[in-house]
Every structure is written in C-alpha cells, then in structure tokens.
Amino acid sequence: MSNVENNNEYSIIFSGVKKAYGKTVVIENLNLEIKKGERLILLGPSGCGKTTTLRMIAGFEEITSGDLFMDGEQVNDLPPGERNIAMVFQSYALFPHMTVWENITFGLQLQKLPKDEIAKRAKEAMEILHLEGYENKKTHELSGGQKQRVALCRALVKQSPYFLLDEPLSNLDAKLRQKARTELVKLHEMFKPTMVYVTHDQIEAMTVAHRIAVMNQGRIQQIDTPYNIYHHPANTFVAGFIGSPAMNILEAQVLNKCLVIGQSAVKLPQSLREQIAAREKVYFGLRPEACTPAFGDAMIKGKVDFVENTGNLQTATLRLADGASLYVQDSHQDAHLEECTGVDFAWENVCLFDAETGVNLELGGK
Amino acid sequence: MKTNLASWRDEWGYHLLLLIAVFLMLWPIVFMLSTSLKDLNQVFESTLNPLPFPPTFDNYTNVLENFPLLTYIWNTFYIAIIVTLSKALTSVLAAFGFVYYDFKYKETIFNGMLLTFFIPITVLIMPNYLLMAKLGLLDTPYGVMLPSLVDGMGVFLMRQTMRGIPKPLLEAAILDGATPWQILRKVVLPLIKPSVLAISILFFINSWNEYFWPLLILQDKSNLTLPLALQMFISAEGGSEWGVAMAVATLTSLPPLVLYGFCQKFIINTFMQAGVKG
C-alpha cells in the first residue's frame, strides 16, 4: 500500500473500499486508481453505486471500511470542505436567493480571498463560459443551459485539482447536451484537473472519457478506454450495456468444429478450434454494425421481423430458428433489409464469452 | 330537476354555508366596532343593531385621555417582542439541528417534543406558577415570558420548511468550506425567510392576545398587559362602561389584525408547506 500512496501518477485511489447502509452493502470491495489529470467516467445503470463512489470522494458518504487516498494522503475522515474539491451537481444546486455573480464567488468569499483576486478569477471563468452580462441576474431568470454553465463556472473559479460531476448534463435537451459535452472537454483540456464524472448516458461516456469504469451492482465490471470498452468488453454485462442497440449476445453450442447459433452451424476458424473444443457452450457476441446482411446463403440464418429506419441507418430485427433475436445495422439506404435471409460476419469482430461466468474469452476479436 | 338542484348546491350552497360561517366569526368583531362607536344610551337601546347612529368617537377620546393606554401597550409589546424573538430563534436553531445533523435518539427527541403539543395548558399551569414563584418572578413581565420562550410547534414548522430545501444546495456550501453557522446564515435563513416571518407574526399575535397566564402572574396595575387592562372595564370596576371597553378592545386588536393582513400570504404558505410535506 505504501508504494501506492507515494505514486504521483494516481491522484485518487480507492483501496478495498466498502460502503454499506446498515446491513445493505452498496459497494463491496472497490479498488480504483484515478490518474492525475484524467477524465474518468463512472458509467452504469441506476443503483450501480456510481454516485455513491463519487460522493465518497467528495466526503458526503462515510467509508465503511477500506481506504481512500487523495494525492497520497488518506482522506477517509477528512471533512468535505477540506478536500479542495469542485463539484457540479445534477440539479446544479445554485443558490436561488443569490445573483449569478454571488453564486460564482460564494466559495471564494468563504475562503476570504482578496477582493481583486475574487473578481479576477470570476471574470476569467465567466468569459470562458460566455456568461458576461449575466452577473446580476437571479438564477430563476436563466435557461437550463445557462444554469448549467453557471454551475460549471462556480466549480471552475475554485481552481481545484479535483473536478467531480454528477450527471451534469442530464437536465439539458439533446442538442444542448452535445454542445455542453464539447465545452466540458475543452474546459478540462485548459486546466487539466482530475475529473470524475458520473453518468448513465453511454454517448456522454464515450465522447468525454479518457477511461470509463463500467459499474454494476457495486462492482467495477471493466475499466478501460472507450475504444476497448466498446470493442473488447470484459463480460456480457459490459457488452450488453454499451452500444445502441447493444451487442447481440447469443447462446452457441460447440459441435464438431462448428458453433451452432440459432440452429445455423458456423464453421470455426482453425485458430479457435482447439481453444473452444473443450467447451460445450459459449456466448457468441457480435455488434449489430458488424453484421453484414446476407441475401441468399447466410452464415447465421433468420427471418426479418421488422426494419427501423433512422435516416442514416437501417436496423433490422432478425428472428433466428431457435426464437432468439439478432439486430442488424446497415448504413446502405438502398439495401432492402426486409428481404434479407440472415447475416454474415468476420471472425475478428466476434467476442466469445464463457457460458457460465459471462467473462470475455478474448479469442474471437484478438 | 335533480341536476339543477345539484348545480345550485355546488354553486351557491357551499358559498352560503361559508358565508354563514364567516358571519358567525365576524359578528363579535362587528359588534365590538359598532359598540365602540355608540354612546351608552345607544348601547342599551339598540344592542344588536350593528349600525351606530349617530356614530360617536367619545369612547376613544375618553380612553386616550383617561387611561394609561401607552403603558399597557408597552407592557404587552415588551413581552410579545421578546417571546417572539426567542421562539423564532430557538425554533430555527432546533430545526436546523433536527434536519441537518445526525445524532443518537434524534427521532425520539423530536417525537418527545411533538408530544408537548398534547399536554393541556391546565396541567402545566400549576408547576409553572410554582416555579415562577420560587424564582421570584411573580408580578414581573419575566414571569410571563419565561415559560413561553420555546415553542414546539415552531420547531415543527421550521423543520418542515427546512426539509423542503434541496440537499445539494447545502452540500455545495459544505464543499465550499462553509461552517454550519455560515450555512444557516447565508443559505438556509435567506431561503426560509418568509416562513420565519410568518411564524414570528403568529408568535407575536398569540403573545399579544394571551390572557390567562399573564392574569395569574401580573397583579400590579402598572404591569398589566392590554387584555388584562380590558378586563377592568367589564368586571368589578365599571360593569356598564361597554362603549369604552369596546374602544379599548378595538385598539387592542388592531396591531395583530394589521400584522396579519400584511403577512397573510406567508402565513398560509407556511402552513401549506407543513401540511403537504409533513
């Protein structure tokens, strides 16, 4: 542990952290190392423990057991106000009785900074976030997007090394969200604080993160770059959670050098045969966009249930012989997906998962 | 025919009921006002006629000239303002503790405090009186104030209001390094100001109108509060001075009425909040 404490590369370290409310254990054994200056996204479904993790960093949730280090210092019992953290809340948490200026400078005034320093910092931050001219407005006079920028601004003026964001964009409409995402990344590039960002929106996670920690039921399922999370999901949960529509995960029997998927037998390539031969069953994972619609003879045969057209893409749902469904995505607008008879695929796009544990066998894709 | 009756009932029936209720409640006030504007003959000749004819202000001039009204107003105000400030302060502080701190037996203590609502005042009068006597506070304004410096209902109402403040607001302040005192002063108080004002007015009106407890404690004429002074006209001293008595009564009830009129909105909001969120 001592070498971890002194490691400067990591700025926040969870070491065997457990969080329980009475007898309900929310986080079992969290080990997470967040690098200095990185954008780490905690991603997962509701109730997976991501917000609790963030709130433990902020100091709002006590740690039941284990250790939390920030910059090498154990902070389990350090009060939130002494952790030098800036945070953006989901509801923005702007003080309704104060003006924009008062909101932004509130923290600095509590720190008793000199007046000109406060004014300088606030003006700079407001300029970056295009908030000039709003100084004297009350928060109820602002739109959702403006409120969000004031909340960011309030966090920014603190010039804190840690930037925590709890679903900061979830109250914005789709168009604003996209813009805010880009601004957020630019802002981070300017000041490079250690950023921990909680979201359940995978697009947000993929576009903002250096690394994503996918969580489920209080455990980290995988922590890696957005690329690896997408292309090499650690298990069926991650595979099924990331991507829209999610990865197709089908039960496959191993039979005589073949995989039987929905009653279609697909010949295994030489490289995989020996590794899989001992198994009876695996899960076969294939991204919808890695499926090539086949018209005629197909590797996996199926019937089209229906086709959705979203303008740039067509998504077909295929019903396989055993009743399982398979999503196929195609960007060719002139393809008549409703006539397709099945799909072809390349083995390098396939993920195979252990039938019992759901763990990626890392055979197909690599 | 039935539907006509039903619609008549909906449109007018309920209003009629409410009008009757309002009349019953307002009648004593109308009676008080009109009697204060009648001379003694009129009072006995047309007791139930609410219109004084001709109206006379003799009673008011009489009161203002021969009656130490200012002393009584000051006595009443002095007690009411200290009781109000103390109750408001203790209610806000206690509610802040109940809402934002976690401590052992928090719920038990709070429920214990709620229980005090249900203790009849008559049960408390004896021990309180003996206590005041032991402390040597009989016939002093402090003896009137002391038992009512804290108010369970006030704590309850303030707690309900504070619970309505979103938690992230306080967490944002905590992260900025605000101390509990700064949070209370700079975040919580500005947000609950209307409710604090509303209960303060209620405390003030209640203390202003209080009759029974001051009656037990105060004896010397120069210490009396307005409701007690009023008593002098109706009982032993002058059973027939109805006009003057009503003029004093009108003057006595003016300040609370005006206060309520100005702050009606806040008061109703505070009780609505307690009702909806409780």
Side-chain angles (χ1 to χ4, degrees), chain A residues 233-236 247 249-250 252 254 259 261 268-269 272-273 275-276 279 281-286 345 347 349-355 358-366:
Chain A
N235 54 36
T236 45
M247 182 184 270
I249 296 170
L250 304 164
V254 186
L259 272 187
I261 306 160
L268 280 164
L272 289 178
R273 274 181 206 168
Q275 287 162 293
I276 291 195
R279 295 170 186 272
K281 209 168 86 176
V282 288
Y283 281 114
F284 171 90
L286 188 63
F345 60 87
W347 277 101
N349 294 328
V350 170
C351 293
L352 295 177
F353 302 96
D354 186 283
V359 171
N360 193 341
L361 302 170
E362 291 290 355
L363 301 172
K366 280 188 176 169

Side-chain angles (χ1 to χ4, degrees), chain A residues 18-74:
Chain A
K18 178 181 166 185
K19 173 71 196 172
Y21 297 99
K23 281 182 184 160
T24 320
V25 179
V26 187
I27 288 168
E28 182 72 56
N29 178 23
L30 181 66
N31 290 294
L32 173 64
E33 295 173 345
I34 304 170
K35 292 175 194 156
K36 203 167 253 179
E38 84 166 325
R39 294 192 295 271
L40 181 93
I41 303 256
L42 299 172
L43 177 69
S46 307
C48 71
K50 55 190 192 296
T51 298
T52 310
T53 306
L54 189 82
R55 291 173 60 81
M56 284 196 282
I57 301 176
F60 293 137
E61 301 287 348
E62 265 179 48
I63 291 169
T64 312
S65 65
D67 286 309
L68 172 65
F69 297 96
M70 288 167 82
D71 262 342
E73 198 187 324
Q74 198 228 40

Side-chain angles (χ1 to χ4, degrees), chain B residues 8-155:
Chain B
W8 184 89
R9 188 189 63 206
D10 286 345
E11 266 183 53
W12 296 100
Y14 294 128
H15 279 96
L16 199 69
L17 270 178
L18 287 174
L19 278 174
I20 293 170
V22 168
F23 175 79
L24 285 176
M25 278 187 255
L26 283 184
W27 174 247
I29 296 172
V30 174
F31 181 81
M32 170 183 83
L33 254 177
S34 78
T35 309
S36 76
L37 296 170
K38 290 174 180 174
D39 62 32
L40 209 53
N41 286 336
Q42 285 181 57
V43 170
F44 289 109
E45 278 165 18
S46 56
T47 314
L48 288 180
N49 180 4
L51 290 177
F53 189 80
T56 164
F57 287 94
D58 287 353
N59 295 326
Y60 287 93
T61 17
N62 189 357
V63 169
L64 294 174
E65 278 168 9
N66 305 320
F67 189 67
L69 192 68
L70 277 181
T71 313
Y72 296 134
I73 288 180
W74 169 247
N75 289 346
T76 321
F77 179 80
Y78 179 60
I79 293 172
I81 198 76
I82 289 182
V83 165
T84 303
L85 289 177
S86 162
K87 276 185 179 177
L89 185 76
T90 49
S91 298
V92 167
L93 288 177
F96 189 69
F98 279 124
V99 176
Y100 301 113
Y101 286 86
D102 279 318
F103 48 88
K104 237 182 172 181
Y105 308 123
K106 178 164 120 167
E107 290 304 311
T108 319
I109 295 172
F110 184 73
N111 289 335
M113 199 202 65
L114 284 191
L115 258 180
T116 60
F117 293 175
F118 303 105
I119 303 175
I121 182 131
T122 36
V123 174
L124 295 172
I125 274 175
M126 264 305 232
N128 275 349
Y129 184 85
L130 290 174
L131 190 64
M132 293 309 120
K134 286 266 182 214
L135 291 170
L137 295 177
L138 291 184
D139 204 19
T140 66
Y142 310 108
V144 181
M145 292 171 199
L146 197 61
S148 43
L149 289 181
V150 182
D151 189 283
M153 179 58 103
V155 179

Side-chain angles (χ1 to χ4, degrees), chain A residues 55 81 87 94-95 97 158, chain B residues 169 171 174-175 186 190-191:
Chain A
R55 291 173 60 81
M87 185 162 173
L94 300 177
F95 302 118
H97 57 290
K158 284 184 80 180
Chain B
L169 281 186
E171 290 177 342
I174 292 171
L175 267 189
K186 296 191 170 177
L191 290 175

Side-chain angles (χ1 to χ4, degrees), chain A residues 240-297:
Chain A
F241 190 72
I242 302 280
S244 176
M247 182 184 270
N248 294 300
I249 296 170
L250 304 164
E251 218 178 275
Q253 308 288 335
V254 186
L255 253 181
N256 295 336
K257 301 174 188 172
C258 285
L259 272 187
V260 182
I261 306 160
Q263 294 182 11
S264 309
V266 190
K267 216 172 178 187
L268 280 164
Q270 192 68 41
S271 57
L272 289 178
R273 274 181 206 168
E274 281 176 23
Q275 287 162 293
I276 291 195
R279 295 170 186 272
E280 278 182 13
K281 209 168 86 176
V282 288
Y283 281 114
F284 171 90
L286 188 63
R287 294 254 170 230
E289 70 273 16
C291 300
T292 317
F295 302 88
D297 201 20

